Amino acid sequence: MLRRRNQKSKPWIVQLSALSTSWKSFGPISGCQNMPPQQSHSRQSPARQSIWGDVGGLHRTLDGHTKLWLSLDLETAGIESGLAIYALRTYEEWDSHPQSVSVADQPILLRKLADGPKGFPDHLAKGADRCLGGLRVVELSRVIAAPVAGKTLAAHGADVLWVPSPGLPDQPPLDREFARGKRTVRLDINKPSDKAKLLELLRTADVFIQGYRPGSLAARGLSPTELAAANPRLIIANLSAFGPDGPWSGRRGFDSLVQTCSGMNVSEAQHCGAGEPAMPMPCQALDHGAGFLLASGISAALYRRATEGGSCIVDVSLAGVMKYLRSLGQYPGKSGFEISDADKNLQWEEHLFEKRMTGFGPMKYLKHSAVIEDLEPGWDVMPKPLGSDKPEWLT
């Protein structure tokens, strides 16, 4: 639970509750791992007493114990324990943070990785009815931003192989949405045989989309340098929470957490004026924006490869997208919060939809929004259970 001690006090306090029988599970965060609950508070040294005196520290409750934290202290302790946890900040607090300073002003970073041949590979379809016909894309991701990028490329004709980890649970509502236009295979890159299959695909791929934090794949022998050595024409597209630079570059994170730590939630609450300390965006705007921007960056990298040759790296981060969206400005006051027809069932025009049979049954969905002269983007491959396909290219 997140609350203020009083209206004038600036620090946030985070309250965690646990049954006394399971209090030890909070040990790595609280520093009380080896102390019985009834002794933990009294045995703290003066140096470790909360600055809030009797308000802070560990307190007995009817269902166990409660510890009050300053949010920045909890953020630090949680991250040191391997959690994805971030304190609520204002825009002003985020702007002064070292990670904010490290985030680039432009949401798409494109840089050359290695020299290689220019032009178009032979497997790209000539005379295709879509501009990316025959493009080979390997997507190693889960939800939501990186899958949006792969789905966008698929709408323009790319052959996208989505490789979700078999160690992560299926999420049927999201899987049905983001598997549209893709074939899916299950590969566990921690297994030598599956890693070899992935590398075999990447040797003849055009694009590699990956949504894991910086350094994660490099630790498994899949660094950009190693991949470029195996395929000097490969475009590596990275989606991360905070980008490739700065003290938080290697940290985990997702849309809602970046909204929280970057000031966006506080700003939304201030504009809404409902008296709440924070308000999330009505959608995962950073995720979806990042996915479309990553697809745009990949398109730019494909052009550079065709005209200059070589391998490129494209980086898009959720924090970078937040910075870009914020730079566009914000409507004053409650504009956007008071929509008279928000609760009405709007009648959408039927020509905006398609109906197709999928591996999950009939599906009605919005068509791809992009329009290209003389070409009609869309998805030929319909969603089916993850792992239904073979790790091989169509052409």
Side-chain angles (χ1 to χ4, degrees), residues 225-247:
T225 302
E226 290 168 306
L227 294 178
N231 181 355
R233 304 186 71 162
L234 185 64
I235 293 168
I236 301 170
N238 302 313
L239 194 291
S240 63
F242 297 104
D245 303 310

mmCIF file of all heavy atoms in Angstrom, residues 225-247:
data_model
loop_
_atom_site.group_PDB
_atom_site.id
_atom_site.type_symbol
_atom_site.label_atom_id
_atom_site.label_comp_id
_atom_site.label_asym_id
_atom_site.label_seq_id
_atom_site.Cartn_x
_atom_site.Cartn_y
_atom_site.Cartn_z
ATOM 1 N N THR A 225 27.721 -8.596 -31.087
ATOM 2 C CA THR A 225 28.960 -8.872 -31.819
ATOM 3 C C THR A 225 29.000 -10.313 -32.310
ATOM 4 O O THR A 225 29.384 -10.589 -33.460
ATOM 5 C CB THR A 225 30.175 -8.589 -30.920
ATOM 6 O OG1 THR A 225 30.134 -7.225 -30.491
ATOM 7 C CG2 THR A 225 31.468 -8.834 -31.674
ATOM 8 N N GLU A 226 28.591 -11.245 -31.459
ATOM 9 C CA GLU A 226 28.586 -12.657 -31.850
ATOM 10 C C GLU A 226 27.557 -12.927 -32.944
ATOM 11 O O GLU A 226 27.804 -13.708 -33.874
ATOM 12 C CB GLU A 226 28.304 -13.523 -30.620
ATOM 13 C CG GLU A 226 29.459 -13.531 -29.616
ATOM 14 C CD GLU A 226 29.075 -14.145 -28.285
ATOM 15 O OE1 GLU A 226 28.079 -13.693 -27.690
ATOM 16 O OE2 GLU A 226 29.778 -15.070 -27.832
ATOM 17 N N LEU A 227 26.409 -12.277 -32.858
ATOM 18 C CA LEU A 227 25.377 -12.480 -33.869
ATOM 19 C C LEU A 227 25.793 -11.873 -35.206
ATOM 20 O O LEU A 227 25.539 -12.456 -36.265
ATOM 21 C CB LEU A 227 24.059 -11.867 -33.396
ATOM 22 C CG LEU A 227 23.419 -12.525 -32.172
ATOM 23 C CD1 LEU A 227 22.147 -11.790 -31.777
ATOM 24 C CD2 LEU A 227 23.121 -13.992 -32.434
ATOM 25 N N ALA A 228 26.436 -10.699 -35.172
ATOM 26 C CA ALA A 228 26.892 -10.075 -36.414
ATOM 27 C C ALA A 228 27.991 -10.893 -37.075
ATOM 28 O O ALA A 228 28.103 -10.931 -38.309
ATOM 29 C CB ALA A 228 27.378 -8.656 -36.138
ATOM 30 N N ALA A 229 28.805 -11.562 -36.265
ATOM 31 C CA ALA A 229 29.844 -12.427 -36.830
ATOM 32 C C ALA A 229 29.216 -13.611 -37.558
ATOM 33 O O ALA A 229 29.728 -14.069 -38.588
ATOM 34 C CB ALA A 229 30.771 -12.914 -35.722
ATOM 35 N N ALA A 230 28.089 -14.096 -37.038
ATOM 36 C CA ALA A 230 27.399 -15.216 -37.679
ATOM 37 C C ALA A 230 26.589 -14.770 -38.886
ATOM 38 O O ALA A 230 26.397 -15.536 -39.832
ATOM 39 C CB ALA A 230 26.483 -15.906 -36.665
ATOM 40 N N ASN A 231 26.118 -13.521 -38.870
ATOM 41 C CA ASN A 231 25.304 -12.998 -39.966
ATOM 42 C C ASN A 231 25.582 -11.507 -40.113
ATOM 43 O O ASN A 231 25.000 -10.680 -39.411
ATOM 44 C CB ASN A 231 23.821 -13.236 -39.687
ATOM 45 C CG ASN A 231 22.919 -12.731 -40.810
ATOM 46 O OD1 ASN A 231 23.373 -12.112 -41.767
ATOM 47 N ND2 ASN A 231 21.626 -13.001 -40.688
ATOM 48 N N PRO A 232 26.493 -11.121 -41.017
ATOM 49 C CA PRO A 232 26.891 -9.710 -41.150
ATOM 50 C C PRO A 232 25.815 -8.807 -41.736
ATOM 51 O O PRO A 232 26.047 -7.605 -41.877
ATOM 52 C CB PRO A 232 28.115 -9.779 -42.065
ATOM 53 C CG PRO A 232 27.962 -11.050 -42.822
ATOM 54 C CD PRO A 232 27.276 -12.000 -41.908
ATOM 55 N N ARG A 233 24.646 -9.354 -42.062
ATOM 56 C CA ARG A 233 23.553 -8.528 -42.580
ATOM 57 C C ARG A 233 22.397 -8.434 -41.586
ATOM 58 O O ARG A 233 21.350 -7.869 -41.896
ATOM 59 C CB ARG A 233 23.029 -9.109 -43.900
ATOM 60 C CG ARG A 233 24.091 -9.287 -44.958
ATOM 61 C CD ARG A 233 23.500 -9.727 -46.269
ATOM 62 N NE ARG A 233 22.748 -8.636 -46.898
ATOM 63 C CZ ARG A 233 22.426 -8.612 -48.186
ATOM 64 N NH1 ARG A 233 22.791 -9.606 -48.977
ATOM 65 N NH2 ARG A 233 21.746 -7.618 -48.689
ATOM 66 N N LEU A 234 22.586 -8.958 -40.394
ATOM 67 C CA LEU A 234 21.491 -9.036 -39.429
ATOM 68 C C LEU A 234 21.216 -7.676 -38.790
ATOM 69 O O LEU A 234 22.132 -6.969 -38.368
ATOM 70 C CB LEU A 234 21.832 -10.051 -38.336
ATOM 71 C CG LEU A 234 20.742 -10.339 -37.298
ATOM 72 C CD1 LEU A 234 19.531 -10.994 -37.956
ATOM 73 C CD2 LEU A 234 21.296 -11.229 -36.184
ATOM 74 N N ILE A 235 19.950 -7.329 -38.706
ATOM 75 C CA ILE A 235 19.511 -6.138 -37.978
ATOM 76 C C ILE A 235 19.006 -6.593 -36.613
ATOM 77 O O ILE A 235 18.095 -7.419 -36.519
ATOM 78 C CB ILE A 235 18.400 -5.398 -38.745
ATOM 79 C CG1 ILE A 235 18.975 -4.821 -40.036
ATOM 80 C CG2 ILE A 235 17.780 -4.299 -37.887
ATOM 81 C CD1 ILE A 235 17.930 -4.333 -41.002
ATOM 82 N N ILE A 236 19.610 -6.065 -35.558
ATOM 83 C CA ILE A 236 19.263 -6.452 -34.195
ATOM 84 C C ILE A 236 18.442 -5.329 -33.576
ATOM 85 O O ILE A 236 18.917 -4.196 -33.444
ATOM 86 C CB ILE A 236 20.530 -6.717 -33.361
ATOM 87 C CG1 ILE A 236 21.352 -7.835 -34.010
ATOM 88 C CG2 ILE A 236 20.167 -7.077 -31.927
ATOM 89 C CD1 ILE A 236 22.722 -8.019 -33.400
ATOM 90 N N ALA A 237 17.204 -5.634 -33.224
ATOM 91 C CA ALA A 237 16.280 -4.637 -32.685
ATOM 92 C C ALA A 237 15.996 -4.951 -31.223
ATOM 93 O O ALA A 237 15.417 -5.998 -30.907
ATOM 94 C CB ALA A 237 14.985 -4.628 -33.488
ATOM 95 N N ASN A 238 16.408 -4.050 -30.341
ATOM 96 C CA ASN A 238 16.291 -4.264 -28.899
ATOM 97 C C ASN A 238 15.185 -3.407 -28.309
ATOM 98 O O ASN A 238 15.102 -2.207 -28.581
ATOM 99 C CB ASN A 238 17.601 -3.900 -28.197
ATOM 100 C CG ASN A 238 18.780 -4.691 -28.727
ATOM 101 O OD1 ASN A 238 18.710 -5.911 -28.876
ATOM 102 N ND2 ASN A 238 19.876 -4.002 -29.021
ATOM 103 N N LEU A 239 14.357 -4.023 -27.479
ATOM 104 C CA LEU A 239 13.337 -3.303 -26.729
ATOM 105 C C LEU A 239 13.623 -3.499 -25.249
ATOM 106 O O LEU A 239 13.686 -4.637 -24.770
ATOM 107 C CB LEU A 239 11.945 -3.840 -27.085
ATOM 108 C CG LEU A 239 10.704 -3.034 -26.687
ATOM 109 C CD1 LEU A 239 10.475 -3.024 -25.192
ATOM 110 C CD2 LEU A 239 10.806 -1.599 -27.203
ATOM 111 N N SER A 240 13.831 -2.415 -24.517
ATOM 112 C CA SER A 240 14.150 -2.516 -23.092
ATOM 113 C C SER A 240 13.369 -1.470 -22.314
ATOM 114 O O SER A 240 12.698 -0.608 -22.889
ATOM 115 C CB SER A 240 15.656 -2.329 -22.862
ATOM 116 O OG SER A 240 16.069 -1.034 -23.270
ATOM 117 N N ALA A 241 13.476 -1.540 -21.001
ATOM 118 C CA ALA A 241 12.755 -0.588 -20.153
ATOM 119 C C ALA A 241 13.412 0.784 -20.152
ATOM 120 O O ALA A 241 12.741 1.810 -20.296
ATOM 121 C CB ALA A 241 12.653 -1.128 -18.731
ATOM 122 N N PHE A 242 14.750 0.817 -19.998
ATOM 123 C CA PHE A 242 15.426 2.092 -19.776
ATOM 124 C C PHE A 242 16.496 2.428 -20.809
ATOM 125 O O PHE A 242 17.155 3.460 -20.690
ATOM 126 C CB PHE A 242 16.041 2.102 -18.372
ATOM 127 C CG PHE A 242 15.015 1.991 -17.280
ATOM 128 C CD1 PHE A 242 14.830 0.798 -16.599
ATOM 129 C CD2 PHE A 242 14.211 3.065 -16.949
ATOM 130 C CE1 PHE A 242 13.878 0.681 -15.591
ATOM 131 C CE2 PHE A 242 13.249 2.964 -15.956
ATOM 132 C CZ PHE A 242 13.082 1.769 -15.268
ATOM 133 N N GLY A 243 16.688 1.588 -21.806
ATOM 134 C CA GLY A 243 17.645 1.898 -22.853
ATOM 135 C C GLY A 243 19.024 1.332 -22.589
ATOM 136 O O GLY A 243 19.294 0.765 -21.525
ATOM 137 N N PRO A 244 19.948 1.492 -23.552
ATOM 138 C CA PRO A 244 21.269 0.872 -23.448
ATOM 139 C C PRO A 244 22.267 1.632 -22.588
ATOM 140 O O PRO A 244 23.355 1.124 -22.317
ATOM 141 C CB PRO A 244 21.734 0.844 -24.905
ATOM 142 C CG PRO A 244 21.078 2.042 -25.524
ATOM 143 C CD PRO A 244 19.742 2.164 -24.855
ATOM 144 N N ASP A 245 21.926 2.839 -22.154
ATOM 145 C CA ASP A 245 22.873 3.664 -21.411
ATOM 146 C C ASP A 245 22.303 4.055 -20.049
ATOM 147 O O ASP A 245 21.091 4.062 -19.843
ATOM 148 C CB ASP A 245 23.213 4.935 -22.203
ATOM 149 C CG ASP A 245 23.767 4.623 -23.582
ATOM 150 O OD1 ASP A 245 24.697 3.801 -23.671
ATOM 151 O OD2 ASP A 245 23.257 5.194 -24.570
ATOM 152 N N GLY A 246 23.209 4.411 -19.130
ATOM 153 C CA GLY A 246 22.786 4.900 -17.827
ATOM 154 C C GLY A 246 22.830 3.846 -16.742
ATOM 155 O O GLY A 246 22.955 2.645 -17.013
ATOM 156 N N PRO A 247 22.708 4.270 -15.477
ATOM 157 C CA PRO A 247 22.834 3.341 -14.347
ATOM 158 C C PRO A 247 21.716 2.310 -14.260
ATOM 159 O O PRO A 247 21.876 1.285 -13.607
ATOM 160 C CB PRO A 247 22.815 4.275 -13.125
ATOM 161 C CG PRO A 247 22.123 5.515 -13.597
ATOM 162 C CD PRO A 247 22.513 5.669 -15.032
#
